[in-house]
């Protein structure tokens, strides 16, 4: 049997569908997706736990994968001395870097040390004497990664280091 809905019946059916959709949205979708439970039904049904777990996962993801960040850091390498500047990175995190010395070229060793290692092991990624360098690397292991700069000149040398990627600063000069 075929039924044709008249104009008023169609409007009535549409309004009923909208009201039911709003009820479902407020009682189930909001608590589960947005951790907002104005009626309290979501908590009773255990739906707010879904949103809480998702928020916790997002925080853990941010901690473990690193938020994308950018920093510009000024480092002074004293005359005749060497210093290290390190980042902490989880395995497979990536950083793009560019550094420029204001003055003479510096000996540097870009390297990493595994987290928790007590043997003194480190892995060098680049060793040279340059006045500037630009590049990127992906951490092969979790730990600190960064630069050892050695200034052989009789004057302090300032370095401007620009970073962009997933890391946290392990030290500040």
């Amino acid at each position: 049997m075929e039924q044709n809905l008249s104009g008023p019946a169609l409007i009535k059916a549409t309004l009923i569908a909208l009201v039911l959709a709003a009820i479902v949205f407020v009682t189930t979708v909001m608590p589960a997706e947005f951790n907002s439970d104005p009626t309290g039904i979501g908590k009773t049904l255990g739906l707010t736990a879904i949103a809480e777990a998702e928020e916790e996962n997002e925080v853990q993801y941010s901690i473990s994968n690193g938020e994308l960040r950018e920093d510009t850091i000024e480092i002074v390498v004293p005359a005749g001395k060497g210093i290290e500047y390190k980042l902490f990175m989880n395995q497979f995190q990536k950083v793009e870097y560019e550094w420029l010395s204001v003055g003479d070229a510096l000996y540097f060793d870009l390297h990493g040390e595994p987290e928790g290692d007590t043997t003194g092991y480190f892995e060098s990624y680049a060793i040279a004497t340059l006045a500037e360098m630009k590049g990127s690397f992906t951490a092969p292991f979790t730990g600190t990664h960064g630069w050892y700069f050695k200034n052989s000149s009789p004057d302090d040398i300032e370095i401007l280091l620009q970073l962009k990627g997933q890391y946290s600063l392990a030290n500040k000069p």
Side-chain angles (χ1 to χ4, degrees):
M1 179 158 58
E2 193 174 309
Q3 261 188 341
N4 289 328
L5 293 177
S6 64
L10 185 58
I11 292 172
K12 183 178 178 182
T14 301
L15 290 175
I16 291 171
L18 286 173
V19 168
L20 288 174
I23 290 170
V24 169
F25 182 78
V26 170
T27 60
T28 59
V29 175
M30 284 178 62
E33 292 294 324
F34 306 109
N35 200 17
S36 176
D37 191 12
T39 64
I41 293 173
K43 185 173 183 168
T44 304
L45 296 174
L47 298 174
T48 54
I50 295 170
E52 290 167 0
E54 180 62 29
E55 286 174 4
E56 186 173 320
N57 285 341
E58 287 175 11
V59 168
Q60 289 301 320
Y61 178 82
S62 295
I63 291 169
S64 66
N65 289 315
E67 295 293 327
L68 187 63
R69 63 181 289 170
E70 291 185 52
D71 290 287
T72 299
I73 301 146
E74 293 179 17
I75 303 168
V76 176
V77 184
K81 299 203 184 265
I83 64 166
E84 283 194 289
Y85 194 83
K86 298 288 184 114
L87 310 173
F88 181 84
M89 299 172 67
N90 288 319
Q91 186 176 27
F92 306 126
Q93 288 183 329
K94 184 177 180 179
V95 67
E96 295 175 8
Y97 63 89
E98 181 174 5
W99 63 265
L100 170 68
S101 70
V102 181
D104 292 339
L106 294 162
Y107 168 85
F108 75 92
D109 180 353
L110 173 58
H111 63 280
E113 298 151 350
E115 182 178 41
D117 182 77
T118 58
T119 66
Y121 170 80
F122 65 94
E123 183 175 331
S124 291
Y125 312 125
I127 300 173
T129 300
L130 298 170
E132 62 184 79
M133 185 173 186
K134 182 177 185 175
S136 67
F137 69 90
T138 301
F141 48 79
T142 297
T144 56
H145 305 269
W147 297 263
Y148 169 75
F149 293 104
K150 184 173 182 184
N151 178 0
S152 299
S153 79
D155 299 313
D156 292 352
I157 295 179
E158 184 179 319
I159 298 171
L160 185 62
L161 174 63
Q162 295 179 318
L163 302 166
K164 181 180 181 180
Q166 298 169 302
Y167 59 89
S168 58
L169 299 175
N171 66 327
K172 294 184 180 180

